[in-house]
Amino acid sequence: MKCYVLGLLLTVLGTSLAASDPLMVGGSYSTTDNIKRIFKDRDGNFDKIRHPTTGAKARADMLTFIQNKVEMLQLLAKQKGFHAANYTQQFTTDIQVSYDHKTVNGTNVILVLHGTANNTEDEPVMLLANYDTARNTNAVNEGSGVVALLTLFESLVQDLPAKNFELKSSVIFAFTDVAHKKYDEETGTPRGETGAHKLGSEWLRIFMSDRKHFRGAVVLDNLLNYNSTGRSQLVQDTGIDKSFSTSYTKLAENAFSGDFVALVHRNDDMDNPLANAIEEAWNRSSHHHKDKTGGQQDSNSTQLDAKLLRFTFNKNMFVSPSVNHFLNSEQSALWNEHASIGQTQYPAITLTDTRNLRAGCRQMCNVSAMLTDENLQFMARTVKTLKHFIIQNQTVDSGAFSSLQSSVIFLVGSAIFAIYNGRY
Ligand SMILES: *[C@@H]1O[C@H](CO)[C@@H](O)[C@H](O)[C@H]1NC(C)=O
Ligand SMILES: *[C@@H]1O[C@H](CO)[C@@H](O)[C@H](O)[C@H]1NC(C)=O
Ligand SMILES: *[C@@H]1O[C@H](CO)[C@@H](O)[C@H](O)[C@H]1NC(C)=O
Ligand SMILES: *[C@@H]1O[C@H](CO)[C@@H](O)[C@H](O)[C@H]1NC(C)=O
Ligand SMILES: *[C@@H]1O[C@H](CO)[C@@H](O)[C@H](O)[C@H]1NC(C)=O
Ligand SMILES: *[C@@H]1O[C@H](CO)[C@@H](O)[C@H](O)[C@H]1NC(C)=O
Ligand SMILES: *[C@@H]1O[C@H](CO)[C@@H](O)[C@H](O)[C@H]1NC(C)=O
Ligand SMILES: *[C@@H]1O[C@H](CO)[C@@H](O)[C@H](O)[C@H]1NC(C)=O
């Protein structure tokens, strides 16, 4: 009798714990549909060149689009009980156009979803994407990072309160300008100050001055191009085999398919914890994973088997064009590799489909035509990964905790009752 009652109670406890699975994320809508909706909201603009000189009008339009979205999202966040604040950072910098230098004005837009922790306890993460493009192509700058940030913000403010997650540490969403600028002809590395340099060396430095610890930045740089055909990942003449030999071996084993997201990071104490946390979140966001992601299924229920592949920068590595390819300007600005903008270095990693190293549209792309089920699911996986990461690292699980507490109190109380009954 005693054992039977205890067994029953343990079953009840087990069921109530399973029901309060802290990793249950998702929502009552599909991520792919939301991504598609936000791309369509800015009908056609993602197709255009948005360079500060040759695409000034489209770039200004994109800025207005982002500002409108930011205002809308800020309002939504407030309705859901969050403290959200926006900042506009204006700056002037030099870019190289052909062989000339031009001075341009840039605008970074920053939206902060504040955590409930006091500043002294706040450990923010920053997610950033640039919204301008290169000078004569949109192909490698289609704007998916911007859409990922907008989708993720909306999804977080809808779902966190509904699922009883309390955002403890802040999440910074940064839309940066002037990513493409002057390059050092010898080494191909960016020189001087991009929008991300300005963000890191000025805005972030001030924001972090009275906060506890910066967990790091995740740069989103092209997330839409998935290609599972063999040899769609271009490696010839890049030197990837020498620079990133472990990744190269994995690529070869996988017939050089472009079916993965690249995670670019330094092999050091700054980037490794962030890279590991993101990889863990990627694994948890898989539909194979035991933790139910919950929410509505995406409209196409056959889910992609996308992979995450690490491109690790080691000290004294073989220098080749592939090294420069994976050093995008946002990330190197935060790494502050050239120590040109002060002393601060931040943890920073990049998630990317590798841009023009992946077969697909290479020049002017029709972004609408790129919004296939496969590509949308591929991009949704990155959005879900970031959501898992934020839930794991930035929230406290108030709802599940109180239901765990009440289950334990119930179990203990009932067990005492059962033992008491058994004895007498
Ligand atoms: C940001 O907040 C200010 C008020 O602090 C507001 O005037 C502005 O329109 C907001 N939006 C953007 C995109 O900057
Ligand atoms: C940059 O902005 C300043 C005013 O803030 C203006 O005087 C200048 O003409 C602008 N430069 C360009 C290239 O638009
Ligand atoms: C945060 O700061 C306020 C005022 O400084 C204080 O009253 C409160 O207890 C602090 N909260 C935490 C969680 O430390
Ligand atoms: C994220 O959280 C995990 C444990 O929840 C922790 O081990 C890790 O250090 C955190 N990562 C970062 C970058 O803060
Ligand atoms: C993620 O999954 C892969 C493949 O199952 C595994 O090799 C890797 O160790 C996992 N990474 C983390 C951080 O859990
Ligand atoms: C995928 O890669 C193959 C092989 O390189 C290429 O022929 C094809 O056009 C690519 N598909 C798309 C949709 O870009
Ligand atoms: C872009 O692709 C969409 C969907 O495939 C198509 O309807 C549209 O006509 C294309 N636009 C151009 C300019 O080719
Ligand atoms: C689902 O996705 C697969 C692979 O991406 C595609 O072949 C199929 O047509 C899609 N089905 C529907 C109903 O959209």
Side-chain angles (χ1 to χ4, degrees):
M1 172 62 190
K2 202 163 80 183
C3 290
Y4 170 77
V5 173
L6 275 174
L8 188 71
L9 291 171
L10 283 173
T11 312
V12 169
L13 174 65
T15 314
S16 87
L17 282 181
S20 62
D21 178 353
L23 296 175
M24 199 158 91
V25 294
S28 56
Y29 49 85
S30 105
T31 311
T32 53
D33 289 349
N34 279 342
I35 290 171
K36 200 167 172 175
R37 174 176 53 78
I38 295 174
F39 265 117
K40 298 280 181 191
D41 280 354
R42 193 64 209 107
D43 199 28
N45 201 262
F46 287 104
D47 288 342
K48 297 195 177 119
I49 292 170
R50 301 185 298 276
H51 187 263
T53 61
T54 52
K57 169 76 170 60
R59 168 169 158 270
D61 286 351
M62 184 59 80
L63 174 62
T64 304
F65 169 71
I66 291 168
Q67 285 170 328
N68 289 341
K69 281 279 180 205
V70 160
E71 264 167 41
M72 205 201 74
L73 290 173
Q74 193 176 4
L75 205 64
L76 180 69
K78 282 179 179 165
Q79 281 166 6
K80 299 280 178 184
F82 289 94
H83 172 208
N86 77 71
Y87 303 84
T88 299
Q89 185 188 22
Q90 278 166 332
F91 59 89
T92 300
T93 189
D94 255 16
I95 59 171
Q96 181 171 316
V97 178
S98 299
Y99 293 98
D100 291 338
H101 290 178
K102 282 218 157 74
T103 301
V104 297
N105 292 330
T107 310
N108 293 333
V109 178
I110 304 142
L111 178 58
V112 180
L113 196 57
H114 281 281
T116 52
N118 280 355
N119 283 6
T120 49
E121 294 300 314
D122 195 12
E123 301 183 71
V125 294
M126 181 161 82
L127 311 173
L128 79 153
N130 74 286
Y131 66 88
D132 66 325
T133 70
R135 197 157 57 89
N136 46 19
T137 166
N138 74 349
V140 295
N141 307 101
E142 89 291 88
S144 54
V146 167
V147 176
L149 292 186
L150 296 171
T151 310
L152 178 65
F153 187 97
E154 188 176 326
S155 169
L156 285 171
V157 296
Q158 297 276 11
D159 277 5
L160 294 185
K163 300 215 159 113
N164 285 319
F165 289 112
E166 180 187 326
L167 188 70
K168 190 161 173 282
S169 282
S170 303
V171 186
I172 304 161
F173 294 78
F175 304 87
T176 59
D177 196 5
V178 197
H180 300 269
K181 53 175 326 308
K182 191 159 66 176
Y183 279 82
D184 188 317
E185 259 92 85
E186 294 288 293
T187 63
T189 47
R191 283 197 287 153
E193 299 184 329
T194 60
H197 271 97
K198 292 287 184 182
L199 183 71
S201 64
E202 294 171 15
W203 187 87
L204 186 60
R205 197 163 45 80
I206 294 165
F207 186 80
M208 284 312 301
S209 61
D210 62 343
R211 284 181 164 79
K212 188 178 175 186
H213 167 67
F214 182 59
R215 286 222 162 97
V218 181
V219 177
L220 305 176
D221 186 32
N222 288 63
L223 304 168
L224 195 54
N225 190 8
Y226 174 90
N227 193 331
S228 57
T229 314
R231 305 223 154 258
S232 56
Q233 192 62 37
L234 313 174
V235 292
Q236 251 177 357
D237 304 326
T238 61
I240 283 184
D241 54 340
K242 294 197 181 94
S243 308
F244 301 102
S245 55
T246 313
S247 322
Y248 184 86
T249 306
K250 289 188 179 159
L251 284 173
E253 284 166 5
N254 196 27
F256 299 102
S257 308
D259 61 353
F260 63 89
V261 166
L263 189 169
V264 183
H265 69 104
R266 293 169 297 190
N267 188 16
D268 65 13
D269 292 345
M270 272 210 174
D271 287 3
N272 281 336
L274 182 60
N276 292 341
I278 291 288
E279 188 181 325
E280 229 174 84
W282 174 273
N283 285 357
R284 264 186 273 117
S285 70
S286 157
H287 62 288
H288 296 309
H289 196 269
K290 288 231 167 58
D291 294 308
K292 278 254 189 262
T293 50
Q296 195 177 300
Q297 276 291 329
D298 285 339
S299 44
N300 191 334
S301 59
T302 37
Q303 293 198 40
L304 287 185
D305 196 14
K307 300 171 181 69
L308 185 82
L309 191 56
R310 286 168 88 132
F311 287 77
T312 306
F313 277 80
N314 286 302
K315 287 212 166 69
N316 309 317
M317 71 195 297
F318 179 83
V319 175
S320 71
S322 67
V323 170
N324 288 331
H325 182 84
F326 285 103
L327 259 181
N328 71 351
S329 59
E330 282 75 20
Q331 182 179 280
S332 44
L334 294 158
W335 288 356
N336 193 16
E337 286 179 293
H338 308 293
S340 55
I341 53 158
Q343 298 306 306
T344 313
Q345 284 200 15
Y346 298 106
I349 66 163
T350 293
L351 294 174
T352 176
D353 64 17
T354 75
R355 312 196 298 276
N356 54 345
L357 288 186
R358 182 157 301 172
C361 175
R362 309 292 298 280
Q363 278 295 316
M364 291 302 295
C365 296
N366 178 338
V367 174
S368 291
M370 283 184 81
L371 300 180
T372 61
D373 283 331
E374 277 193 343
N375 284 347
L376 286 165
Q377 284 184 44
F378 180 59
M379 184 169 152
R381 180 75 185 272
T382 299
V383 173
K384 289 174 186 171
T385 296
L386 294 169
K387 194 167 168 186
H388 274 277
F389 165 67
I390 287 163
I391 287 175
Q392 185 76 22
N393 283 65
Q394 306 300 94
T395 69
V396 287
D397 191 357
S398 53
F401 182 68
S402 56
S403 93
L404 169 67
Q405 272 183 324
S406 48
S407 300
V408 168
I409 291 163
F410 175 71
L411 176 71
V412 170
S414 307
I416 290 167
F417 182 73
I419 291 163
Y420 180 84
N421 273 343
R423 194 173 287 166
Y424 296 96

